[in-house]
């Protein structure tokens, strides 16, 4: 195994925090699932609790629009450590709506949530002050205003805590810019607070934007001019410009800057103007146990296809391919997957092969929020279109698993599917199902959690163009399912450096950094066509190999980061 991030830190920097140190991790997705940060925070919670014990807390926003039933077990602040309980009580007396309790996930971490819908007193003046201090023009956006409000709420939390507990080292680790507005507020307004501030970016706003716009993103990375690019971005999207500028400001003002992979560190260095001091690779937990066998899961997947395509013959043992994730057609590489399977379909038909391949796309798609009479009309229109197009052409209902009436006719995924001629005709040997929601037990199509769904597949396809880490291929490998990742993902380099050869044989690589889409499509088509079950049997990754990615081992990087940040912070205090 090659060196890990721990090996790259000088031995003299391995300073442990005092045992009394309070650890606060702050993220927008604490008890609130919106994307990948939720996976990071939730999957490592048990290991963080085990490592830092009663001194570990999660801080996040509370939303009036979220149902916390079964997620948050609220308790009286007095059940928390005395200083924390008193701080929460003081904030409530100061008209800040604070909720506290335990997050119902493995480890049951203590959480403190602040209602971002209730603005702090004097919010407009405070926001104007923040604009003056950072030089960032803040647009009229309710979402941005709420996270700025969260920043002022957090600042007040640490002020009150420090007023009664100033002798205890306090670590505040912020994940992503939207949860980190407190960093510039604390630095510009109350830097005398004895709080050590760390910031982790899991992807940059400007990087994601540029990758979407430019096929030669990686070739040009070192030559992009941040000011020019962010100003251009702001012409059409002033919110994104404000967020990108604030992200850069936060990265430059925090005490210690972290990211999750080598490729994202390079991106941060060029686009945010600061090289991350440490890389903290994302880990994995074993997740909840399931008694569902691979055969049972495959049966459910095949049943869903048969129900969706009742007039067609679905083979008893087809090859099942899976792709999934957030709705970013280019950056996540869904366009490449669809084009590759389109080529496979044409080749199989030409060869008159009897082989059948099913492509399952589990992607949370934006919805048309029709209600009442408008929804009834749209549903009727879709049904009529479907009946006509089954006779004369393409139908979105033929490929969308459910709620087709809420999917935009010009959904970019549907357009790619149409261009690839994956119509789900009887003559097609590649059948496709576009499932426009994340899967969960009791769902409309599958009664499966995502971790269970994976087990029934043969090949995961995740050829992302822009992927700072990449959990999805790793989830497949953990379940004994082969996977395609890309050479532009953070996981790729980490796996290459750390995985034994026998596991790497089940991790195929699509070359995306070169920006040659045609080459990537051909590569993936060949992977599918040449895939053989006998060579890639669905045996779970060996336990000792899973340990490489397990949070209980990778949490050591966080302990080192906190110790290093605290040490640097103490040196700064002593010199001022």
């Amino acid at each position: 195994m090659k060196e890990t991030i721990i090996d790259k830190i000088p031995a003299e920097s391995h300073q442990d925090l005092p045992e009394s140190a309070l650890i606060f991790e702050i993220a927008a997705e604490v008890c609130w699932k919106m994307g990948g940060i939720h996976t990071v925070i939730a999957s490592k919670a048990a290991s963080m609790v085990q490592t830092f014990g009663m001194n570990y807390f999660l801080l996040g926003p509370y939303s009036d629009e979220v149902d916390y039933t079964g997620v948050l077990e609220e308790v009286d602040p007095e059940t928390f450590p005395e200083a924390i309980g008193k701080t929460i009580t003081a904030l409530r007396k100061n008209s800040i709506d604070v909720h506290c309790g335990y997050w119902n996930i493995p480890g049951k971490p203590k959480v403190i949530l602040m209602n971002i819908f209730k603005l702090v007193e004097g919010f407009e003046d405070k926001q104007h002050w923040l604009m003056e201090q950072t030089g960032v023009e803040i647009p009229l956006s309710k979402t941005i205003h709420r996270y700025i409000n969260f920043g002022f709420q957090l600042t007040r939390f640490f002020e009150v805590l420090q007023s009664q507990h100033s002798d205890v080292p306090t670590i505040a680790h912020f994940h992503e810019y939207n949860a980190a507005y407190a960093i510039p507020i604390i630095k510009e307004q109350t830097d005398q607070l004895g709080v050590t501030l760390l910031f982790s970016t899991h992807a940059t706003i400007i990087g994601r934007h540029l990758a979407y716009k430019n096929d030669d993103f990686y070739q040009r990375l070192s030559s992009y001019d941040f000011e020019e690019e962010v100003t251009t971005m702001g012409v059409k999207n002033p919110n994104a410009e404000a967020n990108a500028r604030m992200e850069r400001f936060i990265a430059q003002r925090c005490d210690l800057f972290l990211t999750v992979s080598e490729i994202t560190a390079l991106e941060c260095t060029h686009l945010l103007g600061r090289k991350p001091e440490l890389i903290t690779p994302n880990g994995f937990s074993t997740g909840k146990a399931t008694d569902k066998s691979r055969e049972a899961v495959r049966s459910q997947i095949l049943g869903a296809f048969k129900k969706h395509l009742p007039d067609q013959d679905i083979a008893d043992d087809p090859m099942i391919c899976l792709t999934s994730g957030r709705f970013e057609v280019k950056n996540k590489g869904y366009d490449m997957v669809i084009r590759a399977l389109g080529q496979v379909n044409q080749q199989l038909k030409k060869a008159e092969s009897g082989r059948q391949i099913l492509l399952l796309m589990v992607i949370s798609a934006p919805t048309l929020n029709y209600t009442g009479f408008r929804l009834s009309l749209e549903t009727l229109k879709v049904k009529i279109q479907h009946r006509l197009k089954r006779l004369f052409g393409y139908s979105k209902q033929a490929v969308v698993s459910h709620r087709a009436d809420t999917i935009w006719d010009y959904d970019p995924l549907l357009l790619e599917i149409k261009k690839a001629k994956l119509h789900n005709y009887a003559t097609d040997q590649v059948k496709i199902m576009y499932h426009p929601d994340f899967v969960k037990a009791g769902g409309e199509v599958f009664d499966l959690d995502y971790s269970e769904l994976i087990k029934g597949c043969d090949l995961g396809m995740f050829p992302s163009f822009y992927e700072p880490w990449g959990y999805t291929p790793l989830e497949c490998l953990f379940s004994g399912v082969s996977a395609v990742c890309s050479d532009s993902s953070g996981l790729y380099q980490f796996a290459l450096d750390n995985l034994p050869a026998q596991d790497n044989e089940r991790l195929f690589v699509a070359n995306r950094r070169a920006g040659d889409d045609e080459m990537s499509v051909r590569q993936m088509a060949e992977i599918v066509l040449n895939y053989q079950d006998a060579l890639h049997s669905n045996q779970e990754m060996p336990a000792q190999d899973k340990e490489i990615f397990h949070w209980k081992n990778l949490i050591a990087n966080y302990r080192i980061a906190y110790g290093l940040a605290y040490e640097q912070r103490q040196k700064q205090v002593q010199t001022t």
Side-chain angles (χ1 to χ4, degrees):
M1 186 187 303
K2 297 186 179 181
E3 65 177 359
T4 66
I5 190 62
I6 298 175
D7 300 314
K8 297 177 183 178
I9 303 172
E12 60 270 19
S13 297
H14 287 211
Q15 173 181 333
D16 265 343
L17 285 170
E19 289 188 8
S20 60
L22 297 174
I23 310 295
F24 296 93
E25 274 200 284
I26 302 103
E29 298 192 46
V30 174
C31 296
W32 186 0
K33 185 172 184 177
M34 292 181 282
I37 305 304
H38 181 278
T39 302
V40 175
I41 299 297
S43 65
K44 71 185 178 71
S47 295
M48 292 295 281
V49 170
Q50 184 177 15
T51 301
F52 298 107
M54 291 296 294
N55 290 348
Y56 176 69
F57 301 85
L58 285 166
L59 289 169
Y62 184 91
S63 171
D64 290 335
E65 299 174 348
V66 174
D67 181 7
Y68 292 93
T69 304
V71 176
L72 175 65
E73 180 186 327
E74 290 206 48
V75 299
D76 191 287
E78 292 182 0
T79 64
F80 274 19
E82 183 178 3
I84 306 298
K86 287 184 176 180
T87 299
I88 294 171
T89 300
L91 291 180
R92 288 176 173 176
K93 290 180 179 178
N94 199 30
S95 300
I96 296 177
D97 182 19
V98 185
H99 299 254
C100 64
Y102 295 90
W103 190 358
N104 190 22
I105 57 175
K108 299 205 71 172
K110 296 184 292 297
V111 297
I112 302 167
L113 307 179
M114 302 178 190
N115 193 332
I116 57 176
F117 285 74
K118 296 184 178 180
L119 300 181
V120 295
E121 185 177 351
F123 174 77
E124 290 188 6
D125 290 339
K126 292 178 185 295
Q127 180 173 263
H128 182 72
W129 171 87
L130 181 62
M131 285 193 289
E132 288 184 336
Q133 297 301 312
T134 62
V136 177
E137 186 69 28
I138 299 171
L140 294 174
S141 163
K142 288 183 178 180
T143 300
I144 293 178
H145 291 183
R146 286 167 183 162
Y147 284 116
I148 291 174
N149 183 53
F150 182 51
F152 282 105
Q153 291 173 331
L154 287 170
T155 301
R156 186 58 185 153
F157 173 86
F158 288 117
E159 286 175 343
V160 174
L161 179 63
Q162 288 286 296
S163 69
Q164 55 185 322
H165 222 50
S166 60
D167 58 329
V168 175
T170 302
I171 302 294
H173 180 189
F174 299 81
H175 292 266
E176 293 295 86
Y177 72 94
N178 55 355
Y181 282 97
I183 290 179
I185 297 171
I186 291 173
K187 284 291 187 180
E188 302 299 322
Q189 176 176 295
T190 56
D191 198 26
Q192 70 272 17
L193 281 179
V195 181
T196 301
L197 306 171
L198 297 89
F199 175 56
S200 283
T201 184
H202 298 255
T204 72
I205 298 165
I206 187 66
R208 192 185 298 275
H209 167 78
L210 291 173
Y212 177 76
K213 293 288 185 181
N214 301 287
D215 289 339
D216 57 353
F217 169 68
Y218 294 102
Q219 286 72 35
R220 296 174 54 192
L221 184 55
S222 61
S223 63
Y224 284 117
D225 180 276
F226 176 83
E227 186 61 35
E228 178 183 342
E229 298 296 342
V230 79
T231 301
T232 301
M233 180 172 66
V235 173
K236 291 186 177 180
N237 194 338
N239 288 1
E241 178 185 359
N243 290 336
R245 290 185 182 279
M246 190 62 74
E247 180 180 51
R248 182 179 168 99
F249 189 89
I250 290 168
Q252 295 183 357
R253 294 293 284 127
C254 61
D255 294 321
L256 198 74
F257 184 31
L258 311 171
T259 194
V260 296
S261 64
E262 298 283 356
I263 196 167
T264 312
L266 185 65
E267 178 186 333
C268 292
T269 301
H270 293 301
L271 298 180
L272 299 188
R274 180 176 177 179
K275 182 180 180 180
E277 281 78 18
L278 291 177
I279 293 172
T280 53
N282 284 335
F284 208 77
S285 61
T286 53
K288 68 177 184 180
T290 175
D291 57 0
K292 288 188 173 70
S293 67
R294 170 175 163 80
E295 291 71 25
V297 175
R298 284 183 72 84
S299 177
Q300 224 186 110
I301 295 173
L302 295 178
F305 270 89
K306 290 175 180 178
K307 182 177 180 181
H308 186 63
L309 301 171
D311 301 330
Q312 299 191 27
D313 291 327
I314 302 298
D316 292 332
D317 192 24
M319 178 181 180
I320 301 176
C321 298
L322 169 71
T323 192
S324 62
R326 62 192 291 169
F327 193 83
E328 291 183 20
V329 177
K330 177 185 175 181
N331 283 352
K332 290 295 185 184
Y334 304 137
D335 52 346
M336 300 292 101
V337 173
I338 293 167
R339 288 169 60 185
L341 269 295
Q343 286 191 10
V344 169
N345 186 45
Q346 296 305 316
Q347 291 185 47
L348 291 178
K349 289 167 68 175
K350 185 176 181 180
E352 297 184 353
S353 167
R355 186 180 180 192
Q356 189 178 81
I357 297 171
L358 306 182
L359 173 60
L360 178 58
M361 307 184 71
V362 179
I363 299 163
S364 182
T367 63
L368 298 172
N369 293 316
Y370 296 137
T371 57
F373 182 65
R374 179 69 186 278
L375 177 59
S376 299
L377 285 178
E378 184 65 18
T379 303
L380 179 61
K381 185 187 83 170
V382 169
K383 288 180 178 179
I384 293 172
Q385 286 178 339
H386 180 50
R387 290 183 180 180
L388 291 174
K389 290 179 179 178
R390 283 183 66 182
L391 296 174
F392 304 111
Y394 174 77
S395 165
K396 71 177 179 180
Q397 198 169 32
V399 297
V400 179
S401 62
H402 63 294
R403 68 174 182 83
D405 51 296
T406 69
I407 302 299
W408 188 34
D409 285 338
Y410 298 98
D411 177 307
L413 271 174
L414 288 177
L415 295 179
E416 289 290 345
I417 292 169
K418 185 176 181 180
K419 283 193 294 184
K421 298 181 179 180
L422 291 173
H423 300 311
N424 280 348
Y425 293 159
T427 55
D428 287 326
Q429 290 176 244
V430 173
K431 310 293 185 183
I432 185 169
M433 180 183 291
Y434 172 15
H435 186 285
D437 294 310
F438 293 132
V439 295
K440 61 181 180 179
E444 189 169 341
V445 179
F446 299 106
D447 183 19
L448 298 166
D449 288 325
Y450 182 73
S451 60
E452 295 172 326
L453 180 75
I454 294 170
K455 291 175 62 175
C457 301
D458 296 296
L459 180 68
M461 302 185 72
F462 312 102
S464 301
F465 182 64
Y466 179 83
E467 189 67 80
W469 182 245
Y471 266 116
T472 43
L474 187 57
E475 289 172 310
C476 286
L477 294 179
F478 263 48
S479 297
V481 175
S482 298
V484 179
C485 73
S486 78
D487 61 351
S488 61
S489 69
L491 172 68
Y492 163 70
Q493 189 61 51
F494 188 82
L496 196 66
D497 290 346
N498 293 282
L499 269 183
Q502 66 266 26
D503 288 321
N504 268 326
E505 288 176 359
R506 287 162 44 175
L507 184 64
F508 301 95
V509 180
N511 297 322
R512 299 301 313 276
R513 289 184 71 168
D516 188 339
D517 288 353
E518 292 304 319
M519 176 184 69
S520 301
V521 169
R522 288 196 301 272
Q523 280 184 319
M524 287 186 291
E526 289 173 4
I527 289 170
V528 174
L529 287 168
N530 296 329
Y531 183 89
Q532 298 180 47
D533 292 334
L535 295 179
H536 307 283
S537 59
N538 291 79
Q539 299 295 319
E540 284 198 19
M541 181 186 287
Q544 66 270 22
D545 297 348
K546 288 185 178 181
E547 292 292 302
I548 297 169
F549 295 95
H550 205 289
W551 273 121
K552 67 183 180 183
N553 297 314
L554 293 175
I555 287 299
N557 297 318
Y558 281 73
R559 178 181 282 280
I560 291 170
Y562 296 162
L564 184 60
Y566 178 68
E567 179 183 38
Q568 292 183 358
R569 175 66 177 163
Q570 292 304 106
K571 290 178 179 178
Q572 292 172 5
V573 171
Q574 292 168 6
T575 58
T576 56

